[in-house]
Amino acid sequence: MRIAYVTVSMPFGPRETFLIPEATELIRQGHLLTIIPRSAKGHISNRDAEALASNAVHYPVLSFSIALKSFVVFLRCPVRCLESFSFIFATNRLGHLLKNLCVVPKALWFADYIEEHSIEHIHCHWSLTTATMSMIASKLAGVPWSMTCHRGDIADNNLLHAKIKHASFTRFISNDGINMAKDLEAVTVNSNVYIGRMGVAIPNDITNHLGGRIVFICPANLLPVKGHEYLLKAVKILKDRSLSFRLLIAGTGPLMGQLINLVNELNIQDIVEFLGQVPHHELLKQYADGNIYAVVLPSVDLGDNLREGVPVSLIEALSFGVPVISTRTGAIPELLGDIGILVKDKDPLALADAMSLLLSDKEYRRHLVELGRKAVLDQYDVQKTAADLIARIKECN
């Protein structure tokens, strides 16, 4: 099938790396995938994304060529164009209106691109302006569209009800996400929605590291929702218990200075190392080589729907046989259930006890390795999740 795959910026820029396995797999399965980034800015910073560059259309959200083409499209069918984006005026939030208006020119360009290249279906990620752009183009070009909702985009609620109603189908990556949409009254009894996981590429073989230097890692950007401060306090507790290990923190963000100061205050700088932004392939190599004893993600619920979705970083770790410790927040319990260790958020002692358990009980750790990898193979194998997405696309074409 000829599919337009709409992203915010992937394969350009450092974000949305979790979309790379799905896009790559759709191409591997023989589909003609054209990636349409809403804002194609930045260089390709992820090695795994390099192979996708030739499938991407590199235009910014607004440029002279986009403006010119959209003007030509508008002159060709002004009434239809106005009808295609009239829905954006239904919002009572000025911020949403302005953001949606900003993507109208590219949406008109996109509709023309769809017709010119015989695109059969549009699938977009996020229910924000990427969905606005996709919905307008779908209306103009007469091509069905669908979307995947994640978490923050659901909470933002940018005309979510209208988009779900118009889309051929909407994929939510977690039950937590679909429940959030129901609370916002965006999902009705007749809505064509389903729970569909985001998959990862599953390694064929794993190294079950049970000896040598014990290293925990927290692969998460330094943001309040990630809860790093509670992990650092847990490390202090374990150091006071005279346990031997190291903690690596892989990620960057606005809390870097604050967290470095906390490490110094707690006097744990000898066992905590900030790695900064680690290239994705290098992180996976650490898992593949058996250098990581366990992953710890101390996420917190900040209220107002500010919480985790389903962290792909945890799925990837489990696929390599790396056990995971995290918190009962957002959709994390849907992923881990009984295949990882879940503790209350904002609780350094609970985190410390969980890490101590993995350090002391090698058999329990081995048990989690087996459970985690099996669960990921069953539910998060990108070959299966991509095939499921394609099956649903074919049903509406």
Side-chain angles (χ1 to χ4, degrees):
M1 290 191 68
R2 294 181 179 272
I3 301 169
Y5 192 82
V6 183
T7 68
V8 172
S9 61
M10 194 284 289
F12 307 103
R15 299 185 177 182
E16 295 182 303
T17 56
F18 59 91
L19 301 182
I20 295 171
E22 180 171 270
T24 302
E25 180 60 24
L26 290 171
I27 295 168
R28 192 196 69 80
Q29 292 186 13
H31 302 286
L32 299 176
L33 197 74
T34 302
I35 303 174
I36 309 289
R38 182 206 65 197
S39 307
K41 57 185 178 180
H43 64 285
I44 295 179
S45 57
N46 188 299
R47 190 175 71 178
D48 297 333
E50 292 175 357
L52 298 175
S54 61
N55 293 82
V57 180
H58 196 171
Y59 281 106
V61 68
L62 186 61
S63 65
F64 176 77
S65 59
I66 292 289
L68 180 61
K69 174 61 72 173
S70 65
F71 182 66
V72 170
V73 172
F74 186 83
L75 289 181
R76 194 165 62 214
C77 50
V79 175
R80 284 186 60 216
C81 285
L82 288 171
E83 290 175 345
S84 72
F85 62 79
S86 61
F87 73 95
I88 69 176
F89 296 100
T91 182
N92 57 5
R93 295 166 67 177
L94 180 60
H96 285 168
L97 176 61
L98 294 176
K99 289 177 182 178
N100 290 330
L101 283 172
C102 285
V103 300
V104 168
K106 189 158 188 180
L108 301 187
W109 164 87
F110 186 23
D112 188 73
Y113 183 93
I114 289 168
E115 293 178 347
E116 184 179 339
H117 292 83
S118 302
I119 299 295
E120 299 172 83
H121 189 91
I122 306 164
H123 186 77
C124 82
H125 280 275
W126 314 101
S127 59
L128 302 174
T129 51
T130 50
T132 303
M133 194 173 87
S134 299
M135 183 168 165
I136 294 170
S138 168
K139 285 174 172 283
L140 265 180
V143 170
W145 77 289
S146 55
M147 66 177 170
T148 296
C149 295
H150 294 267
R151 195 215 55 79
D153 54 331
I154 303 168
D156 192 69
N157 193 16
N158 182 344
L159 297 171
L160 184 58
H161 174 76
K163 291 170 180 176
I164 291 175
K165 182 178 179 181
H166 184 269
S168 297
F169 65 85
T170 299
R171 173 175 66 169
F172 288 84
I173 66 168
S174 69
N175 284 294
D176 182 66
I178 203 167
N179 288 334
M180 190 188 306
K182 289 177 179 177
D183 290 342
L184 295 169
E185 298 183 347
V187 173
T188 64
V189 174
N190 297 322
S191 297
N192 190 4
V193 301
Y194 77 104
I195 306 297
R197 307 300 185 182
M198 290 297 300
V200 301
I202 307 294
N204 293 325
D205 301 304
I206 63 171
T207 301
N208 194 353
H209 177 84
L210 291 174
R213 200 172 188 185
I214 294 176
V215 177
F216 291 90
I217 193 168
C218 178
N221 284 327
L222 311 183
L223 303 169
V225 74
K226 301 300 182 180
H228 288 88
E229 63 176 291
Y230 303 101
L231 176 57
L232 296 179
K233 291 173 182 177
V235 168
K236 171 61 173 174
I237 293 171
L238 293 178
K239 182 178 180 180
D240 291 344
R241 295 177 184 174
S242 300
L243 293 175
S244 178
F245 67 96
R246 290 177 63 218
L247 171 67
L248 305 178
I249 297 179
T252 60
L255 298 183
M256 175 69 83
Q258 179 181 325
L259 293 174
I260 290 175
N261 289 338
L262 180 58
V263 165
N264 292 331
E265 290 172 15
L266 296 173
N267 191 30
I268 54 174
Q269 59 268 39
D270 57 327
I271 53 176
V272 175
E273 181 180 357
F274 289 88
L275 302 178
Q277 192 67 49
V278 177
H280 186 245
H281 67 276
E282 290 185 11
L283 178 63
L284 298 188
K285 187 175 188 303
Q286 291 297 312
Y287 297 154
D289 291 345
N291 296 330
I292 304 300
Y293 192 78
V295 165
V296 187
L297 185 66
S299 303
V300 299
D301 190 332
L302 298 176
D304 294 326
N305 287 325
L306 296 175
R307 58 182 185 266
E308 290 279 11
V310 181
V312 173
S313 60
L314 299 188
I315 302 172
E316 289 176 335
L318 293 167
S319 75
F320 280 91
V322 179
V324 167
I325 299 169
S326 194
T327 56
R328 299 186 189 93
T329 59
I332 294 175
E334 289 184 45
L335 168 63
L336 295 185
D338 60 357
I339 66 171
I341 301 179
L342 286 167
V343 300
K344 182 182 177 183
D345 71 330
K346 304 176 185 177
D347 190 337
L349 180 58
L351 280 170
D353 287 343
M355 295 168 72
S356 179
L357 175 61
L358 283 188
L359 289 169
S360 62
D361 193 335
K362 299 295 194 297
E363 279 304 312
Y364 180 58
R365 181 188 180 278
R366 182 181 282 108
H367 177 63
L368 290 181
V369 166
E370 294 171 356
L371 286 178
R373 181 163 164 87
K374 182 180 185 302
V376 169
L377 282 168
D378 290 343
Q379 300 181 51
Y380 295 93
D381 184 344
V382 72
Q383 295 186 32
K384 298 176 184 178
T385 58
D388 179 61
L389 178 61
I390 286 298
R392 291 179 185 273
I393 288 174
K394 287 182 176 178
E395 286 178 2
C396 58
N397 276 70

